[in-house]
Protein backbone atom coordinates (compact mmCIF):
# COMPACT_ATOMS: atom_id res chain seq x y z
CA UNK A 1 0.00 0.00 0.00
CA UNK A 2 1.26 3.45 -0.86
CA UNK A 3 2.29 5.46 2.17
CA UNK A 4 1.07 9.03 2.58
CA UNK A 5 2.71 12.00 4.25
CA UNK A 6 0.78 15.07 5.30
CA UNK A 7 1.36 17.89 7.80
CA UNK A 8 0.51 17.06 11.38
CA UNK A 9 -1.37 20.30 11.91
CA UNK A 10 -2.45 23.52 10.21
CA UNK A 11 -3.98 26.74 11.45
CA UNK A 12 -6.31 29.05 9.59
CA UNK A 13 -8.88 31.77 10.11
CA UNK A 14 -12.51 31.91 9.15
CA UNK A 15 -13.10 32.86 5.54
CA UNK A 16 -9.69 31.79 4.31
CA UNK A 17 -8.95 29.11 1.75
CA UNK A 18 -7.07 26.14 3.17
CA UNK A 19 -4.90 23.83 1.12
CA UNK A 20 -3.66 20.57 2.64
CA UNK A 21 -1.03 18.76 0.61
CA UNK A 22 -0.41 15.04 0.82
CA UNK A 23 2.61 13.23 -0.59
CA UNK A 24 2.28 9.71 -1.95
CA UNK A 25 5.43 9.00 -3.94
CA UNK A 26 4.77 5.28 -4.34
CA UNK A 27 1.22 5.53 -5.62
CA UNK A 28 0.29 2.65 -7.92
CA UNK A 29 -1.44 2.87 -11.27
CA UNK A 30 -4.69 1.45 -9.88
CA UNK A 31 -4.74 3.67 -6.78
CA UNK A 32 -7.23 6.42 -6.13
CA UNK A 33 -6.74 9.31 -3.72
CA UNK A 34 -9.43 9.78 -1.11
CA UNK A 35 -9.86 12.31 1.69
CA UNK A 36 -11.85 11.81 4.87
CA UNK A 37 -12.73 14.29 7.61
CA UNK A 38 -13.13 13.40 11.28
CA UNK A 39 -14.65 15.48 14.06
CA UNK A 40 -14.02 14.64 17.72
CA UNK A 41 -16.12 11.72 18.97
CA UNK A 42 -17.34 10.91 15.47
CA UNK A 43 -16.34 8.45 12.79
CA UNK A 44 -14.55 9.70 9.66
CA UNK A 45 -16.65 11.15 6.88
CA UNK A 46 -15.88 10.90 3.15
CA UNK A 47 -15.04 14.24 1.53
CA UNK A 48 -13.76 13.63 -1.96
CA UNK A 49 -12.01 11.13 -4.20
CA UNK A 50 -10.03 11.50 -7.39
CA UNK A 51 -7.65 9.75 -9.76
CA UNK A 52 -6.05 12.59 -11.71
CA UNK A 53 -6.35 16.30 -12.54
CA UNK A 54 -9.06 18.08 -10.59
CA UNK A 55 -12.22 16.99 -8.85
CA UNK A 56 -14.69 19.38 -7.26
CA UNK A 57 -17.80 18.84 -5.20
CA UNK A 58 -19.94 20.99 -2.95
CA UNK A 59 -17.48 20.65 -0.07
CA UNK A 60 -13.97 20.73 -1.50
CA UNK A 61 -11.67 20.49 -4.48
CA UNK A 62 -8.94 17.95 -5.04
CA UNK A 63 -5.96 18.79 -7.22
CA UNK A 64 -3.76 15.98 -8.51
CA UNK A 65 -0.72 16.74 -10.70
CA UNK A 66 0.15 14.62 -13.69
CA UNK A 67 2.72 12.50 -11.86
CA UNK A 68 0.15 11.78 -9.09
CA UNK A 69 2.89 11.75 -6.46
CA UNK A 70 1.03 14.33 -4.40
CA UNK A 71 -2.43 15.79 -4.05
CA UNK A 72 -3.92 18.90 -2.51
CA UNK A 73 -7.24 19.16 -0.74
CA UNK A 74 -8.63 22.67 -1.04
CA UNK A 75 -11.31 23.94 1.34
CA UNK A 76 -12.77 27.29 0.22
CA UNK A 77 -13.65 29.89 2.83
CA UNK A 78 -13.36 27.73 5.92
CA UNK A 79 -15.55 28.23 8.97
CA UNK A 80 -15.09 27.25 12.60
CA UNK A 81 -17.00 24.05 11.91
CA UNK A 82 -14.27 22.90 9.53
CA UNK A 83 -11.99 22.33 12.51
CA UNK A 84 -11.28 18.61 12.26
CA UNK A 85 -8.69 16.00 11.34
CA UNK A 86 -8.29 15.43 7.61
CA UNK A 87 -6.95 12.12 6.31
CA UNK A 88 -5.41 11.49 2.92
CA UNK A 89 -5.68 7.87 1.79
CA UNK A 90 -4.38 6.07 -1.25
CA UNK A 91 -5.74 2.74 -2.40
CA UNK A 92 -7.45 0.82 -5.14
CA UNK A 93 -10.93 1.87 -4.09
CA UNK A 94 -13.70 -0.61 -4.53
CA UNK A 95 -13.97 -2.98 -1.61
CA UNK A 96 -10.39 -2.47 -0.50
CA UNK A 97 -9.87 -1.51 3.11
CA UNK A 98 -8.81 1.97 4.11
CA UNK A 99 -5.33 2.65 5.49
CA UNK A 100 -5.30 5.78 7.59
CA UNK A 101 -2.25 7.75 8.68
CA UNK A 102 -2.31 10.26 11.51
CA UNK A 103 -3.99 12.91 9.42
CA UNK A 104 -3.77 16.70 9.54
CA UNK A 105 -5.39 18.51 12.44
CA UNK A 106 -6.90 21.72 11.02
CA UNK A 107 -7.74 24.41 13.53
CA UNK A 108 -9.89 27.28 12.29
CA UNK A 109 -9.95 30.36 14.50
CA UNK A 110 -12.29 33.36 14.47
CA UNK B 1 -32.17 7.73 6.23
CA UNK B 2 -30.52 6.14 9.22
CA UNK B 3 -26.76 5.97 9.27
CA UNK B 4 -24.49 3.36 10.81
CA UNK B 5 -25.22 2.83 14.48
CA UNK B 6 -23.03 1.24 17.12
CA UNK B 7 -23.85 0.04 20.59
CA UNK B 8 -22.91 0.62 23.28
CA UNK B 9 -21.43 4.07 22.84
CA UNK B 10 -19.21 3.48 25.84
CA UNK B 11 -18.11 0.28 27.51
CA UNK B 12 -15.97 -0.04 30.60
CA UNK B 13 -14.80 -3.52 31.52
CA UNK B 14 -12.25 -5.16 33.74
CA UNK B 15 -9.12 -6.80 32.46
CA UNK B 16 -9.81 -10.41 31.54
CA UNK B 17 -13.50 -9.95 30.81
CA UNK B 18 -15.33 -10.69 27.55
CA UNK B 19 -17.02 -7.91 25.57
CA UNK B 20 -19.26 -7.68 22.54
CA UNK B 21 -19.59 -4.59 20.38
CA UNK B 22 -22.47 -4.27 17.96
CA UNK B 23 -22.73 -2.56 14.58
CA UNK B 24 -25.90 -1.88 12.60
CA UNK B 25 -24.92 -0.90 9.06
CA UNK B 26 -26.92 1.14 6.61
CA UNK B 27 -29.71 -1.02 5.22
CA UNK B 28 -28.73 -2.71 2.00
CA UNK B 29 -24.99 -2.18 2.39
CA UNK B 30 -23.25 -5.43 1.60
CA UNK B 31 -19.78 -4.52 2.86
CA UNK B 32 -19.01 -3.95 6.54
CA UNK B 33 -15.70 -2.96 8.09
CA UNK B 34 -14.35 -2.79 11.63
CA UNK B 35 -11.58 -0.39 12.60
CA UNK B 36 -9.89 0.49 15.87
CA UNK B 37 -8.68 3.98 16.72
CA UNK B 38 -6.30 4.85 19.52
CA UNK B 39 -5.87 8.36 20.84
CA UNK B 40 -4.03 10.58 18.38
CA UNK B 41 -3.93 7.93 15.67
CA UNK B 42 -5.94 7.28 12.55
CA UNK B 43 -8.32 4.33 12.42
CA UNK B 44 -6.65 0.94 12.00
CA UNK B 45 -8.33 -1.76 9.94
CA UNK B 46 -9.41 -4.93 11.73
CA UNK B 47 -11.77 -6.98 9.54
CA UNK B 48 -13.96 -6.67 6.46
CA UNK B 49 -17.16 -8.57 5.64
CA UNK B 50 -18.71 -9.00 2.24
CA UNK B 51 -22.15 -10.34 2.99
CA UNK B 52 -21.93 -12.94 5.73
CA UNK B 53 -18.33 -13.95 5.20
CA UNK B 54 -15.14 -12.34 6.40
CA UNK B 55 -13.37 -11.36 3.20
CA UNK B 56 -10.30 -10.03 5.00
CA UNK B 57 -9.46 -10.50 8.68
CA UNK B 58 -5.78 -9.68 8.39
CA UNK B 59 -6.09 -6.73 10.74
CA UNK B 60 -7.26 -8.67 13.77
CA UNK B 61 -4.38 -8.36 16.23
CA UNK B 62 -4.65 -11.86 17.73
CA UNK B 63 -7.06 -14.74 18.33
CA UNK B 64 -8.76 -12.93 21.20
CA UNK B 65 -10.57 -10.88 18.59
CA UNK B 66 -13.40 -12.35 16.55
CA UNK B 67 -16.25 -10.89 14.52
CA UNK B 68 -19.42 -12.29 12.99
CA UNK B 69 -22.11 -11.15 10.62
CA UNK B 70 -24.46 -14.13 10.49
CA UNK B 71 -27.26 -12.65 8.38
CA UNK B 72 -25.26 -10.23 6.31
CA UNK B 73 -26.48 -7.18 8.19
CA UNK B 74 -25.68 -6.62 11.89
CA UNK B 75 -22.16 -7.45 12.98
CA UNK B 76 -20.69 -8.18 16.38
CA UNK B 77 -17.06 -7.73 17.31
CA UNK B 78 -16.11 -10.02 20.18
CA UNK B 79 -13.05 -9.60 22.37
CA UNK B 80 -12.07 -12.31 24.83
CA UNK B 81 -9.83 -11.90 27.89
CA UNK B 82 -9.61 -8.15 27.40
CA UNK B 83 -6.35 -6.38 28.09
CA UNK B 84 -5.69 -2.75 28.94
CA UNK B 85 -4.08 -2.34 25.53
CA UNK B 86 -7.44 -3.10 23.92
CA UNK B 87 -8.73 0.27 25.15
CA UNK B 88 -9.63 2.31 22.08
CA UNK B 89 -12.56 3.52 20.00
CA UNK B 90 -13.92 0.74 17.81
CA UNK B 91 -15.41 2.05 14.58
CA UNK B 92 -17.70 0.29 12.18
CA UNK B 93 -18.28 1.33 8.57
CA UNK B 94 -20.52 0.07 5.81
CA UNK B 95 -20.43 0.46 2.07
CA UNK B 96 -22.83 -0.15 -0.78
CA UNK B 97 -21.89 -1.95 -3.93
CA UNK B 98 -22.11 1.16 -6.07
CA UNK B 99 -19.72 3.57 -4.35
CA UNK B 100 -16.24 3.62 -2.83
CA UNK B 101 -17.46 5.69 0.09
CA UNK B 102 -17.43 4.07 3.50
CA UNK B 103 -20.00 5.37 6.00
CA UNK B 104 -18.74 5.28 9.55
CA UNK B 105 -20.66 4.96 12.77
CA UNK B 106 -19.89 7.05 15.86
CA UNK B 107 -17.84 4.29 17.42
CA UNK B 108 -17.79 2.44 20.72
CA UNK B 109 -15.28 3.69 23.27
CA UNK B 110 -13.90 0.66 25.09
CA UNK B 111 -12.01 1.15 28.33
CA UNK B 112 -10.35 -1.82 29.98
CA UNK B 113 -9.43 -1.18 33.61
Amino acid sequence: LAKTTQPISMDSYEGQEVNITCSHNNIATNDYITWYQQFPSQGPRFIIQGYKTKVTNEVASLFIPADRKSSTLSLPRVSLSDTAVYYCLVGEGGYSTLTFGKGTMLLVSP
Amino acid sequence: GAGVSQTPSNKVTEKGKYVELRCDPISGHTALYWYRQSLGQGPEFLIYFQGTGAADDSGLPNDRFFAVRPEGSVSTLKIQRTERGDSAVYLCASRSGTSDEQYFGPGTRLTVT
Side-chain angles (χ1 to χ4, degrees), chain A residues 10-60:
Chain A
M10 293 183 68
D11 295 323
S12 184
Y13 294 96
E14 283 189 293
Q16 289 190 335
E17 177 184 76
V18 171
N19 296 307
I20 306 174
T21 297
C22 178
S23 297
H24 28 79
N25 292 318
N26 297 322
I27 190 169
T29 303
N30 295 335
D31 286 342
Y32 287 78
I33 300 153
T34 311
W35 287 79
Y36 276 76
Q37 173 193 54
Q38 186 175 25
F39 298 113
S41 300
Q42 294 186 24
R45 183 175 73 106
F46 174 92
I47 301 176
I48 197 166
Q49 183 183 65
Y51 184 80
K52 62 180 180 180
T53 64
K54 176 183 175 182
V55 180
T56 297
N57 61 23
E58 65 278 6
V59 176

Short mmCIF file of all heavy atoms in Angstrom, two decimals, chain A residues 10-60:
data_model
loop_
_atom_site.label_atom_id
_atom_site.label_comp_id
_atom_site.label_asym_id
_atom_site.label_seq_id
_atom_site.Cartn_x
_atom_site.Cartn_y
_atom_site.Cartn_z
N MET A 10 -2.39 22.25 10.95
CA MET A 10 -2.45 23.52 10.21
C MET A 10 -3.40 24.45 10.94
O MET A 10 -4.39 23.99 11.54
CB MET A 10 -2.95 23.31 8.78
CG MET A 10 -2.01 22.52 7.88
SD MET A 10 -2.63 22.39 6.20
CE MET A 10 -2.50 24.09 5.65
N ASP A 11 -3.11 25.73 10.86
CA ASP A 11 -3.98 26.74 11.45
C ASP A 11 -4.51 27.66 10.37
O ASP A 11 -3.81 27.95 9.40
CB ASP A 11 -3.21 27.58 12.49
CG ASP A 11 -2.77 26.75 13.68
OD1 ASP A 11 -3.53 25.86 14.09
OD2 ASP A 11 -1.66 27.00 14.20
N SER A 12 -5.73 28.11 10.54
CA SER A 12 -6.31 29.05 9.59
C SER A 12 -7.32 29.92 10.31
O SER A 12 -7.61 29.73 11.49
CB SER A 12 -6.98 28.29 8.45
OG SER A 12 -7.48 29.19 7.47
N TYR A 13 -7.85 30.89 9.58
CA TYR A 13 -8.88 31.77 10.11
C TYR A 13 -10.13 31.63 9.26
O TYR A 13 -10.08 31.26 8.08
CB TYR A 13 -8.40 33.22 10.13
CG TYR A 13 -7.27 33.45 11.09
CD1 TYR A 13 -5.94 33.44 10.66
CD2 TYR A 13 -7.52 33.68 12.45
CE1 TYR A 13 -4.91 33.65 11.56
CE2 TYR A 13 -6.48 33.90 13.34
CZ TYR A 13 -5.18 33.87 12.89
OH TYR A 13 -4.16 34.08 13.77
N GLU A 14 -11.23 31.96 9.87
CA GLU A 14 -12.51 31.91 9.15
C GLU A 14 -12.45 32.70 7.86
O GLU A 14 -11.90 33.80 7.82
CB GLU A 14 -13.63 32.48 10.02
CG GLU A 14 -14.11 31.57 11.11
CD GLU A 14 -15.36 32.12 11.79
OE1 GLU A 14 -15.24 33.15 12.47
OE2 GLU A 14 -16.43 31.52 11.62
N GLY A 15 -13.02 32.16 6.81
CA GLY A 15 -13.10 32.86 5.54
C GLY A 15 -11.94 32.63 4.62
O GLY A 15 -11.99 32.99 3.44
N GLN A 16 -10.85 32.04 5.15
CA GLN A 16 -9.69 31.79 4.31
C GLN A 16 -9.83 30.48 3.54
O GLN A 16 -10.60 29.60 3.91
CB GLN A 16 -8.42 31.75 5.17
CG GLN A 16 -8.01 33.09 5.73
CD GLN A 16 -6.62 33.04 6.36
OE1 GLN A 16 -6.17 31.99 6.80
NE2 GLN A 16 -5.96 34.18 6.40
N GLU A 17 -9.06 30.38 2.47
CA GLU A 17 -8.95 29.11 1.75
C GLU A 17 -7.83 28.30 2.37
O GLU A 17 -6.76 28.82 2.67
CB GLU A 17 -8.66 29.36 0.27
CG GLU A 17 -8.48 28.07 -0.54
CD GLU A 17 -8.09 28.35 -1.98
OE1 GLU A 17 -6.91 28.69 -2.21
OE2 GLU A 17 -8.95 28.25 -2.85
N VAL A 18 -8.07 27.01 2.58
CA VAL A 18 -7.07 26.14 3.17
C VAL A 18 -6.70 25.06 2.18
O VAL A 18 -7.58 24.41 1.58
CB VAL A 18 -7.59 25.49 4.47
CG1 VAL A 18 -6.63 24.41 4.96
CG2 VAL A 18 -7.79 26.55 5.55
N ASN A 19 -5.41 24.88 2.01
CA ASN A 19 -4.90 23.83 1.12
C ASN A 19 -4.04 22.86 1.94
O ASN A 19 -3.07 23.27 2.55
CB ASN A 19 -4.07 24.43 -0.01
CG ASN A 19 -4.89 25.31 -0.92
OD1 ASN A 19 -5.93 24.88 -1.42
ND2 ASN A 19 -4.46 26.54 -1.13
N ILE A 20 -4.42 21.61 1.93
CA ILE A 20 -3.66 20.57 2.64
C ILE A 20 -3.05 19.65 1.59
O ILE A 20 -3.78 19.03 0.81
CB ILE A 20 -4.56 19.76 3.59
CG1 ILE A 20 -5.31 20.68 4.55
CG2 ILE A 20 -3.71 18.76 4.39
CD1 ILE A 20 -6.33 19.96 5.43
N THR A 21 -1.73 19.58 1.61
CA THR A 21 -1.03 18.76 0.61
C THR A 21 -0.62 17.43 1.20
O THR A 21 -0.18 17.35 2.34
CB THR A 21 0.19 19.51 0.07
OG1 THR A 21 -0.26 20.69 -0.60
CG2 THR A 21 0.97 18.64 -0.92
N CYS A 22 -0.76 16.40 0.42
CA CYS A 22 -0.41 15.04 0.82
C CYS A 22 0.57 14.48 -0.20
O CYS A 22 0.36 14.60 -1.41
CB CYS A 22 -1.69 14.21 0.86
SG CYS A 22 -1.46 12.46 1.27
N SER A 23 1.64 13.88 0.29
CA SER A 23 2.61 13.23 -0.59
C SER A 23 2.38 11.73 -0.61
O SER A 23 2.17 11.12 0.44
CB SER A 23 4.03 13.52 -0.10
OG SER A 23 4.31 14.90 -0.16
N HIS A 24 2.43 11.16 -1.79
CA HIS A 24 2.28 9.71 -1.95
C HIS A 24 3.15 9.27 -3.11
O HIS A 24 2.66 8.96 -4.20
CB HIS A 24 0.81 9.30 -2.14
CG HIS A 24 -0.06 10.34 -2.77
ND1 HIS A 24 -0.09 10.59 -4.11
CD2 HIS A 24 -0.93 11.21 -2.20
CE1 HIS A 24 -0.94 11.55 -4.35
NE2 HIS A 24 -1.48 11.95 -3.22
N ASN A 25 4.45 9.25 -2.88
CA ASN A 25 5.43 9.00 -3.94
C ASN A 25 5.31 7.63 -4.56
O ASN A 25 5.70 7.43 -5.71
CB ASN A 25 6.85 9.19 -3.38
CG ASN A 25 7.13 10.64 -3.04
OD1 ASN A 25 6.76 11.53 -3.78
ND2 ASN A 25 7.77 10.87 -1.91
N ASN A 26 4.82 6.65 -3.83
CA ASN A 26 4.77 5.28 -4.34
C ASN A 26 3.38 4.88 -4.81
O ASN A 26 3.06 3.68 -4.85
CB ASN A 26 5.24 4.31 -3.26
CG ASN A 26 6.69 4.54 -2.87
OD1 ASN A 26 7.51 4.84 -3.73
ND2 ASN A 26 6.98 4.43 -1.59
N ILE A 27 2.58 5.84 -5.19
CA ILE A 27 1.22 5.53 -5.62
C ILE A 27 1.24 4.61 -6.83
O ILE A 27 2.06 4.76 -7.73
CB ILE A 27 0.44 6.83 -5.92
CG1 ILE A 27 -1.03 6.53 -6.13
CG2 ILE A 27 1.06 7.59 -7.08
CD1 ILE A 27 -1.90 7.77 -6.16
N ALA A 28 0.35 3.62 -6.84
CA ALA A 28 0.29 2.65 -7.92
C ALA A 28 -0.71 3.09 -8.98
O ALA A 28 -1.59 3.92 -8.73
CB ALA A 28 -0.10 1.28 -7.37
N THR A 29 -0.59 2.49 -10.14
CA THR A 29 -1.44 2.87 -11.27
C THR A 29 -2.93 2.73 -10.95
O THR A 29 -3.75 3.54 -11.38
CB THR A 29 -1.10 2.00 -12.49
OG1 THR A 29 0.28 2.14 -12.78
CG2 THR A 29 -1.93 2.41 -13.70
N ASN A 30 -3.28 1.71 -10.18
CA ASN A 30 -4.69 1.45 -9.88
C ASN A 30 -5.21 2.23 -8.67
O ASN A 30 -6.39 2.10 -8.33
CB ASN A 30 -4.91 -0.04 -9.63
CG ASN A 30 -4.66 -0.88 -10.85
OD1 ASN A 30 -4.77 -0.40 -11.98
ND2 ASN A 30 -4.30 -2.13 -10.63
N ASP A 31 -4.34 2.98 -8.03
CA ASP A 31 -4.74 3.67 -6.78
C ASP A 31 -5.52 4.95 -7.04
O ASP A 31 -5.22 5.72 -7.96
CB ASP A 31 -3.50 4.02 -5.95
CG ASP A 31 -2.87 2.82 -5.29
OD1 ASP A 31 -3.55 1.77 -5.17
OD2 ASP A 31 -1.71 2.93 -4.86
N TYR A 32 -6.51 5.16 -6.20
CA TYR A 32 -7.23 6.42 -6.13
C TYR A 32 -6.78 7.18 -4.88
O TYR A 32 -6.20 6.60 -3.97
CB TYR A 32 -8.75 6.16 -6.03
CG TYR A 32 -9.36 5.69 -7.32
CD1 TYR A 32 -9.22 4.38 -7.75
CD2 TYR A 32 -10.08 6.58 -8.12
CE1 TYR A 32 -9.78 3.95 -8.93
CE2 TYR A 32 -10.65 6.16 -9.31
CZ TYR A 32 -10.49 4.84 -9.71
OH TYR A 32 -11.04 4.42 -10.89
N ILE A 33 -7.05 8.47 -4.86
CA ILE A 33 -6.74 9.31 -3.72
C ILE A 33 -8.05 9.76 -3.09
O ILE A 33 -8.93 10.28 -3.78
CB ILE A 33 -5.92 10.54 -4.15
CG1 ILE A 33 -4.61 10.08 -4.79
CG2 ILE A 33 -5.64 11.45 -2.96
CD1 ILE A 33 -4.05 11.06 -5.79
N THR A 34 -8.18 9.50 -1.81
CA THR A 34 -9.43 9.78 -1.11
C THR A 34 -9.13 10.57 0.16
O THR A 34 -8.13 10.33 0.83
CB THR A 34 -10.14 8.47 -0.72
OG1 THR A 34 -10.22 7.61 -1.85
CG2 THR A 34 -11.54 8.74 -0.19
N TRP A 35 -9.99 11.52 0.47
CA TRP A 35 -9.86 12.31 1.69
C TRP A 35 -11.08 12.09 2.57
O TRP A 35 -12.22 12.09 2.09
CB TRP A 35 -9.71 13.79 1.36
CG TRP A 35 -8.36 14.14 0.79
CD1 TRP A 35 -7.93 13.96 -0.49
CD2 TRP A 35 -7.27 14.75 1.49
NE1 TRP A 35 -6.64 14.40 -0.62
CE2 TRP A 35 -6.21 14.90 0.57
CE3 TRP A 35 -7.08 15.19 2.81
CZ2 TRP A 35 -4.98 15.46 0.92
CZ3 TRP A 35 -5.87 15.75 3.15
CH2 TRP A 35 -4.83 15.89 2.23
N TYR A 36 -10.80 11.92 3.86
CA TYR A 36 -11.85 11.81 4.87
C TYR A 36 -11.64 12.89 5.92
O TYR A 36 -10.51 13.35 6.15
CB TYR A 36 -11.81 10.44 5.56
CG TYR A 36 -12.53 9.33 4.81
CD1 TYR A 36 -11.96 8.74 3.70
CD2 TYR A 36 -13.78 8.89 5.22
CE1 TYR A 36 -12.62 7.73 3.01
CE2 TYR A 36 -14.44 7.88 4.55
CZ TYR A 36 -13.86 7.31 3.45
OH TYR A 36 -14.52 6.30 2.77
N GLN A 37 -12.73 13.27 6.57
CA GLN A 37 -12.73 14.29 7.61
C GLN A 37 -13.25 13.65 8.89
O GLN A 37 -14.20 12.84 8.84
CB GLN A 37 -13.65 15.44 7.19
CG GLN A 37 -13.91 16.50 8.21
CD GLN A 37 -15.08 17.40 7.77
OE1 GLN A 37 -16.18 16.93 7.48
NE2 GLN A 37 -14.83 18.70 7.69
N GLN A 38 -12.65 13.97 10.03
CA GLN A 38 -13.13 13.40 11.28
C GLN A 38 -13.22 14.47 12.35
O GLN A 38 -12.22 15.13 12.67
CB GLN A 38 -12.22 12.27 11.76
CG GLN A 38 -12.78 11.55 12.99
CD GLN A 38 -11.95 10.34 13.41
OE1 GLN A 38 -10.76 10.27 13.13
NE2 GLN A 38 -12.60 9.39 14.08
N PHE A 39 -14.42 14.61 12.91
CA PHE A 39 -14.65 15.48 14.06
C PHE A 39 -14.47 14.69 15.33
O PHE A 39 -14.61 13.44 15.33
CB PHE A 39 -16.06 16.08 14.01
CG PHE A 39 -16.33 16.93 12.81
CD1 PHE A 39 -17.24 16.53 11.85
CD2 PHE A 39 -15.67 18.14 12.64
CE1 PHE A 39 -17.49 17.32 10.74
CE2 PHE A 39 -15.91 18.93 11.52
CZ PHE A 39 -16.82 18.50 10.57
N PRO A 40 -14.17 15.35 16.44
CA PRO A 40 -14.02 14.64 17.72
C PRO A 40 -15.27 13.83 18.06
O PRO A 40 -16.40 14.27 17.82
CB PRO A 40 -13.81 15.78 18.73
CG PRO A 40 -13.25 16.89 17.92
CD PRO A 40 -13.88 16.79 16.58
N SER A 41 -15.06 12.63 18.54
CA SER A 41 -16.12 11.72 18.97
C SER A 41 -17.05 11.29 17.84
O SER A 41 -18.20 10.90 18.08
CB SER A 41 -16.96 12.36 20.10
OG SER A 41 -16.13 12.65 21.20
N GLN A 42 -16.57 11.39 16.61
CA GLN A 42 -17.34 10.91 15.47
C GLN A 42 -16.45 10.03 14.60
O GLN A 42 -15.23 10.11 14.65
CB GLN A 42 -17.88 12.07 14.64
CG GLN A 42 -18.90 12.93 15.36
CD GLN A 42 -19.50 13.97 14.43
OE1 GLN A 42 -19.53 13.81 13.21
NE2 GLN A 42 -20.01 15.04 15.01
N GLY A 43 -17.10 9.20 13.76
CA GLY A 43 -16.34 8.45 12.79
C GLY A 43 -15.94 9.33 11.61
O GLY A 43 -16.52 10.40 11.40
N PRO A 44 -14.96 8.91 10.84
CA PRO A 44 -14.55 9.70 9.66
C PRO A 44 -15.70 9.82 8.66
O PRO A 44 -16.59 8.97 8.59
CB PRO A 44 -13.40 8.87 9.08
CG PRO A 44 -12.88 8.07 10.21
CD PRO A 44 -14.08 7.75 11.05
N ARG A 45 -15.63 10.90 7.88
CA ARG A 45 -16.65 11.15 6.88
C ARG A 45 -15.97 11.41 5.54
O ARG A 45 -15.04 12.21 5.46
CB ARG A 45 -17.49 12.36 7.27
CG ARG A 45 -18.64 12.69 6.34
CD ARG A 45 -19.46 13.83 6.91
NE ARG A 45 -18.78 15.12 6.83
CZ ARG A 45 -19.07 16.10 5.98
NH1 ARG A 45 -20.03 15.91 5.09
NH2 ARG A 45 -18.42 17.24 6.01
N PHE A 46 -16.43 10.75 4.50
CA PHE A 46 -15.88 10.90 3.15
C PHE A 46 -16.05 12.33 2.68
O PHE A 46 -17.11 12.95 2.84
CB PHE A 46 -16.62 9.95 2.21
CG PHE A 46 -16.26 10.09 0.76
CD1 PHE A 46 -15.26 9.32 0.20
CD2 PHE A 46 -16.95 10.97 -0.06
CE1 PHE A 46 -14.95 9.42 -1.13
CE2 PHE A 46 -16.64 11.09 -1.40
CZ PHE A 46 -15.64 10.31 -1.94
N ILE A 47 -14.97 12.89 2.11
CA ILE A 47 -15.04 14.24 1.53
C ILE A 47 -15.01 14.17 0.02
O ILE A 47 -15.89 14.69 -0.66
CB ILE A 47 -13.88 15.13 2.01
CG1 ILE A 47 -13.85 15.27 3.52
CG2 ILE A 47 -14.00 16.51 1.36
CD1 ILE A 47 -12.64 16.08 4.00
N ILE A 48 -13.96 13.56 -0.52
CA ILE A 48 -13.76 13.63 -1.96
C ILE A 48 -12.80 12.52 -2.39
O ILE A 48 -11.98 12.06 -1.58
CB ILE A 48 -13.23 15.03 -2.35
CG1 ILE A 48 -13.39 15.31 -3.84
CG2 ILE A 48 -11.77 15.20 -1.91
CD1 ILE A 48 -13.19 16.80 -4.20
N GLN A 49 -12.90 12.14 -3.64
CA GLN A 49 -12.01 11.13 -4.20
C GLN A 49 -11.67 11.50 -5.63
O GLN A 49 -12.51 12.03 -6.36
CB GLN A 49 -12.66 9.74 -4.18
CG GLN A 49 -11.78 8.61 -4.68
CD GLN A 49 -12.51 7.28 -4.71
OE1 GLN A 49 -13.46 7.09 -5.46
NE2 GLN A 49 -12.07 6.36 -3.88
N GLY A 50 -10.42 11.21 -6.03
CA GLY A 50 -10.03 11.50 -7.39
C GLY A 50 -8.93 10.56 -7.86
O GLY A 50 -8.28 9.88 -7.06
N TYR A 51 -8.73 10.56 -9.18
CA TYR A 51 -7.65 9.75 -9.76
C TYR A 51 -6.58 10.66 -10.38
O TYR A 51 -5.39 10.42 -10.18
CB TYR A 51 -8.21 8.81 -10.82
CG TYR A 51 -7.17 7.89 -11.40
CD1 TYR A 51 -6.76 6.75 -10.71
CD2 TYR A 51 -6.55 8.18 -12.61
CE1 TYR A 51 -5.79 5.91 -11.22
CE2 TYR A 51 -5.57 7.35 -13.14
CZ TYR A 51 -5.20 6.21 -12.43
OH TYR A 51 -4.22 5.40 -12.94
N LYS A 52 -7.01 11.66 -11.12
CA LYS A 52 -6.05 12.59 -11.71
C LYS A 52 -6.73 13.93 -11.96
O LYS A 52 -7.96 14.05 -11.83
CB LYS A 52 -5.48 12.03 -13.00
CG LYS A 52 -6.51 11.80 -14.09
CD LYS A 52 -5.85 11.24 -15.34
CE LYS A 52 -6.89 11.03 -16.43
NZ LYS A 52 -6.26 10.48 -17.68
N THR A 53 -5.95 14.91 -12.26
CA THR A 53 -6.35 16.30 -12.54
C THR A 53 -7.13 16.89 -11.38
O THR A 53 -6.64 16.95 -10.28
CB THR A 53 -7.13 16.40 -13.86
OG1 THR A 53 -8.34 15.68 -13.78
CG2 THR A 53 -6.30 15.86 -15.00
N LYS A 54 -8.33 17.36 -11.62
CA LYS A 54 -9.06 18.08 -10.59
C LYS A 54 -10.46 17.51 -10.43
O LYS A 54 -11.13 17.19 -11.40
CB LYS A 54 -9.15 19.57 -10.97
CG LYS A 54 -9.97 20.42 -10.02
CD LYS A 54 -10.08 21.85 -10.51
CE LYS A 54 -11.01 22.67 -9.63
NZ LYS A 54 -11.15 24.07 -10.12
N VAL A 55 -10.86 17.41 -9.18
CA VAL A 55 -12.22 16.99 -8.85
C VAL A 55 -12.80 18.03 -7.91
O VAL A 55 -12.12 18.50 -7.00
CB VAL A 55 -12.23 15.60 -8.16
CG1 VAL A 55 -13.66 15.19 -7.82
CG2 VAL A 55 -11.56 14.56 -9.04
N THR A 56 -14.04 18.39 -8.12
CA THR A 56 -14.69 19.38 -7.26
C THR A 56 -16.07 18.88 -6.88
O THR A 56 -16.79 18.34 -7.72
CB THR A 56 -14.79 20.73 -7.97
OG1 THR A 56 -13.48 21.22 -8.24
CG2 THR A 56 -15.51 21.75 -7.10
N ASN A 57 -16.42 19.07 -5.62
CA ASN A 57 -17.80 18.84 -5.20
C ASN A 57 -18.26 20.01 -4.36
O ASN A 57 -17.58 21.05 -4.30
CB ASN A 57 -17.95 17.49 -4.48
CG ASN A 57 -17.12 17.38 -3.22
OD1 ASN A 57 -16.75 18.40 -2.62
ND2 ASN A 57 -16.81 16.15 -2.83
N GLU A 58 -19.37 19.86 -3.69
CA GLU A 58 -19.94 20.99 -2.95
C GLU A 58 -19.13 21.32 -1.70
O GLU A 58 -19.35 22.37 -1.09
CB GLU A 58 -21.39 20.69 -2.58
CG GLU A 58 -21.58 19.53 -1.62
CD GLU A 58 -21.57 18.17 -2.29
OE1 GLU A 58 -21.29 18.12 -3.50
OE2 GLU A 58 -21.83 17.18 -1.60
N VAL A 59 -18.23 20.46 -1.32
CA VAL A 59 -17.48 20.65 -0.07
C VAL A 59 -16.05 21.10 -0.33
O VAL A 59 -15.52 21.97 0.38
CB VAL A 59 -17.46 19.35 0.75
CG1 VAL A 59 -16.61 19.52 2.00
CG2 VAL A 59 -18.87 18.92 1.11
N ALA A 60 -15.40 20.51 -1.32
CA ALA A 60 -13.97 20.73 -1.50
C ALA A 60 -13.57 20.50 -2.94
O ALA A 60 -14.36 20.03 -3.76
CB ALA A 60 -13.19 19.78 -0.58
#
